[in-house]
Amino acid sequence: MAVMILSMAAKAQQLYELKYYDRDDKCTYIGLFFFTSEEDCYLRCVDEKPNAKGEYEMWESDYESGFGEDEDGRYIYFVPKESKTEDGYALPWFTQGYNSKGEFDGPASVVFQDWNDEVIHKNNVRDCEYFTEVDITKKDRDYFLEFFNEDDEMFERIMDAKERLNNQDRELDGQYTNSNNKYEGDVTMHFIVVAATNDESIGESVQTDLKLVRKDFSIMADQLNIGFDEQIVQGSQFNKRNIEKVIDNVNVKPNDLIVFIYSGHGFRYDDDQDAFPRMYLAQHGENPTDEYQLSTTDAFKRLAKKNARLTLFLSDCCNSEVGATRMEMESMAFASRAVNNNIDTKKLRQLFIDQEGTLRATAAKAGQYALCDRSGGYLLTSFLNNIKAQVSAISKDDPSWKRIMDNAERAVAKKTSNQIDEAGNETEPQRVVKAVNLNPLSPSSSSDNNGGNGSYKEDNMRESVQGSRYDKDDNYDYDDDFYFDDDDEESIDEGNVLVGGLLCIGLPIVIVLLLIIIIIKLLKKKKE
């Protein structure tokens, strides 16, 4: 089989080792599988035994994943993005069962056939000997040299990540017990979740959302060594009065974080101009009068005025007309996993400690439904998956909230593409609406423990909104002009340089001309 040389994905989140036999029982392959997201996976395999020339056969490929359910239960499958090698060898794909907690459950299988075939032929399916998660801190250098050469970029990246994680563990054992950590005892994550867990139509998905976000954010707070203050509004307590009470009672210090998550039904009135939806807070199908609804924008503003250093506000709900219902899909998403073992705490700090401002997002643009499945809402699962990928020790990039939101938006759009409505028409992919007003803290501002550089003011806060706005002539219209990105920053910087350059050149010329005019006038006066 020809060796495939492909570029490794820039980020890796979770690591797995697998072992399988090829269809002819001629080779036994050991594989190292990198799972970043459903769209971004990578597998490198080596033959367990050398060939007649004493060489080890190796192949690698980029993969993507999908989800299914049959009479045997739920499963995730991984398929190569290219179906064959250069010599025509069909690349295998893999299936693995998993349970409602997102944990692998049962044996994995390897499949040797075109994944476009509608029927899986049993003679093309074999059991994998194993498919298990790998903690890179517990593997030595020689282990990874079984898959990579010393000069491979990925080998160097794994070794660097391993060293950083080992040092990080030592820091956790010692550094956080003394005053070297300037954040110790000074930062609290105020974690607020509003969840419609009693709703019969989406209750299972909402309950999964609640378990997932509580698990992941509590682990991240623990990893950051900061306080974790949890307030959950769910079940029979799910109403407007309790939500407002929780919001009003949040006691925030300048360096604190606020994380607010809403999972439930959402809607908008016909004359709403806001790009963001309202929460539908009824328990028994009541009309969304003032008592049974709360604007997500109103809730966000009330939290933002608390002047926490960082405020994250996510609403995974519909943004459609009154009476429309959020739909739970039959597919299953592989997202209900805890933060993996390969977290780089420094990268986690870059996101949660070294940033100030606000980030808010909702699952769908105005006029759209928000889809979910029994593994959670698509926005929340995609958002959390991308945080995990960004803070992986193996990732070579610095984490970025903008990249997290952009990747989550693409993942949601992909998951919701090719959907068919009741009329048999293909619907538009779900479009996330996001508003970002975040800035990195400078060393001076992050070390004085005085929180952000400025307080929240409704009249002058600049929110960069990307998603939808209401246009009376064009109905709901997507607008890119609201988003302020890195390219805009570069353009502004270039403009500032140009203006500064003109001033530097022009100002001396003006001064010289003025001096010449003054001298001429003085000479004329002297002659007179």
Side-chain angles (χ1 to χ4, degrees), residues 74-90:
R74 305 161 181 170
Y75 61 89
I76 183 170
Y77 56 85
F78 304 101
V79 296
K81 293 183 178 180
E82 297 293 335
S83 61
K84 296 180 180 180
T85 63
E86 293 178 356
D87 61 358
Y89 187 92

Side-chain angles (χ1 to χ4, degrees), residues 177-232:
T177 62
N178 56 43
S179 59
N180 290 337
N181 177 17
K182 62 176 176 291
Y183 299 112
E184 182 178 7
D186 193 54
V187 178
T188 297
M189 179 185 291
H190 300 276
F191 181 71
I192 304 169
V193 182
V194 177
T197 53
N198 282 0
D199 190 284
E200 293 182 359
S201 62
I202 57 171
E204 186 174 1
S205 172
V206 171
Q207 288 171 13
T208 303
D209 279 344
L210 177 57
K211 293 176 183 177
L212 176 63
V213 296
R214 289 178 79 179
K215 178 172 61 177
D216 280 4
F217 279 103
S218 64
I219 289 174
M220 286 187 276
D222 185 63
Q223 195 82 12
L224 290 166
N225 197 44
I226 63 176
F228 187 73
D229 180 28
E230 178 185 271
Q231 300 288 332
I232 309 296

Side-chain angles (χ1 to χ4, degrees), residues 456-472:
Y456 171 84
K457 293 184 180 179
E458 184 177 337
D459 57 349
N460 66 5
M461 189 189 86
R462 186 178 187 275
E463 258 190 351
S464 304
V465 179
Q466 183 176 15
S468 63
R469 65 174 178 175
Y470 184 77
D471 188 297
K472 292 182 179 179

